[in-house]
Structure formats: structure tokens, C-alpha cells
Amino acid sequence: MIQQSRAQILLTEWRRLRSSGACAFVLDIQEHKDRLEHLASVLNLELYCSAEDSNFDEKCDQFELELNRFKQQIYQDLLAGLQKSNAK
């Protein structure tokens, strides 16, 4: 039950972040978005149709790791975009 709550929180956070735009690293951001969208689909499927032998904890961990990487990429992109605008 705790993992299901964790998965819901992670998916909610992803839904908030997935509309983030990119300033400097457009392709990198899109690549992360595509990967996370796939992982979110897998996590959703596991959340609602999980088999007893599934590795739900591992999938939550993997999704959380990728989500954290995506957030870092967004921050780096924002900083790079601000640096570009200040250089003009």
C-alpha cells in the first residue's frame, strides 16, 4: 500500500513537470520526457493491473531516479537559458 501511494505521488509530480519547456537543451529534455512517459505508462499499468510476482518496487525506484534526473536537466536548461539571455 505504501508503494502505491509513492507511485501516485511520483506520477502526479510527473504530470506537473511534463509540460515543462526547454530553453537550451531541447533534444535532451525531449529525450528525458519520452523516457519518463514510457516509464509512467509502465508504472500506471503496474499500479492498476499488478500481478503478484511483479517488481513494483523496482519500477517505482527506476521511475523516481529518472524523474530526479529530469528535474536536474530542467534546472540546468533553465540556467543555460538565463545565461544565454543575459549574454545578449
Side-chain angles (χ1 to χ4, degrees), residues 19-88:
S19 63
S20 301
C23 300
F25 307 118
V26 177
L27 295 177
D28 292 336
I29 296 292
Q30 189 59 50
E31 183 179 322
H32 267 100
K33 283 183 178 184
D34 292 345
R35 190 172 325 130
L36 275 164
E37 194 63 41
H38 170 72
L39 291 172
S41 297
V42 169
L43 197 58
N44 262 320
L45 183 64
E46 286 290 322
L47 189 60
Y48 296 108
C49 305
S50 180
E52 286 185 26
D53 62 342
S54 93
N55 50 357
F56 189 68
D57 292 343
E58 290 176 22
K59 289 178 181 169
C60 280
D61 291 343
Q62 182 183 15
F63 186 80
E64 186 172 28
L65 180 66
E66 284 300 321
L67 187 62
N68 287 334
R69 287 179 182 163
F70 178 68
K71 286 191 270 187
Q72 288 299 317
Q73 186 69 37
I74 291 292
Y75 297 143
Q76 290 172 1
D77 182 74
L78 179 62
L79 289 174
L82 290 172
Q83 288 173 346
K84 279 184 181 179
S85 69
N86 285 339
K88 290 181 180 180

